[in-house]
Amino acid sequence: MSTIAELRFPVPDTTLETAFEHAPDATFELESSVSKTRPCLWVSGVDHERVESAFDADPSVDGYDLLVETRSRLLFDVSFTNGSGIDRLCDPLLADGGSLLEAWATDGWWQVRIRFPDRDALCNAYDRLVERDINADLRRVTDVSERAEPETRLTPEQREALEAALEYGYFEIPRRISMEELAAELGISHQALSERFRRAYETLVDEELQPTGERSAAE
């Protein structure tokens, strides 16, 4: 069994404080698929001139390169000065075998989802944050069984849509991406995504509310 924890941290305790002062409407999201010394950050909510100006003003940012520009987001390769970058946040969290699932910053807060081997590893990580004077707000803790999850009747397309919606923050309040933007990320139309959601919701609600015996008989 592993433990998934959701935490948030004030930006002044971590990184990009000055960048947020110059671009308060920006959302920064760590590109989790890239594993490298220089982290890649997706930025949304502001144009690239505003982001670059914010990076230039931030003393913690040593350099940056714009890699990708879409209609809704920008991907930057960013380097930080020693001890002031993403590592300041991630190092104490990942020291005991933790895995970073998500990390993003908006409205003056960094928020992360971390998978820990167990609750002891989470407690140790929390203690390290305190030692570094990083104020951690523990939002949610979930123990996850290693057993395979039960199968559902979702189609691969419906599952893909729901997983993408979760990854990009469509279900969050406020939403971090619109349905139109999510559809563009998936390469489908707004109408097609809406239909996938409708059918997926119908399937999940039916599975949740239908009595077990009736479900087995129907199958």
Side-chain angles (χ1 to χ4, degrees):
M1 178 176 293
S2 59
T3 298
I4 294 179
E6 299 178 16
L7 306 98
R8 70 174 188 169
F9 316 89
V11 164
D13 286 2
T14 51
T15 190
L16 293 179
E17 177 182 6
T18 304
F20 265 108
E21 292 174 355
H22 286 75
D25 296 330
T27 295
F28 297 88
E29 181 178 358
L30 188 66
E31 171 59 82
S32 59
S33 65
V34 179
S35 177
K36 51 196 295 190
T37 302
R38 292 181 64 178
C40 286
L41 293 171
W42 283 106
V43 186
S44 58
V46 292
D47 58 33
H48 72 271
E49 290 89 355
R50 185 76 175 275
V51 179
E52 291 175 355
S53 176
F55 282 154
D56 288 338
D58 197 314
S60 71
V61 176
D62 190 46
Y64 59 87
D65 293 303
L66 177 61
L67 303 180
V68 177
E69 182 172 2
T70 71
R71 289 190 306 168
S72 59
R73 300 196 300 169
L74 307 162
L75 181 63
F76 285 90
D77 188 10
V78 183
S79 61
F80 292 89
T81 57
N82 290 336
S84 61
I86 299 297
D87 289 346
R88 172 171 167 77
L89 179 61
C90 292
D91 285 354
L93 291 170
L94 308 182
D96 288 335
S99 299
L100 182 65
L101 303 179
E102 288 183 288
W104 70 95
T106 187
D107 295 329
W109 292 89
W110 273 99
Q111 302 184 64
V112 301
R113 291 179 67 245
I114 306 284
R115 183 190 299 274
F116 293 98
D118 49 43
R119 290 209 173 201
D120 286 342
L122 167 59
C123 292
N124 292 337
Y126 193 92
D127 289 343
R128 283 190 294 270
L129 292 169
V130 172
E131 291 172 359
R132 297 191 181 196
D133 295 323
I134 298 176
N135 294 306
D137 180 11
L138 185 60
R139 311 285 286 176
R140 180 180 300 176
V141 178
T142 305
D143 291 323
V144 181
S145 172
E146 300 300 330
R147 295 177 300 174
E149 294 293 326
E151 294 185 359
T152 72
R153 291 177 287 141
L154 292 174
T155 66
E157 292 79 10
Q158 292 165 5
R159 180 179 292 276
E160 177 190 36
L162 292 177
E163 289 177 347
L166 185 63
E167 177 184 355
Y168 288 109
Y170 177 77
F171 296 127
E172 295 176 13
I173 301 175
R175 286 176 174 164
R176 291 193 286 126
I177 191 171
S178 68
M179 183 175 288
E180 291 81 0
E181 293 168 337
L182 184 59
E185 293 285 348
L186 293 171
I188 61 177
S189 68
H190 173 277
Q191 182 177 357
L193 179 59
S194 178
E195 181 65 13
R196 287 187 189 181
F197 278 161
R198 186 187 69 79
R199 293 184 179 275
Y201 297 157
E202 182 179 357
T203 296
L204 293 174
V205 170
D206 180 64
E207 289 186 348
E208 182 66 25
L209 298 182
Q210 188 179 52
T212 305
E214 292 182 12
R215 188 185 312 163
S216 300
E219 295 173 352

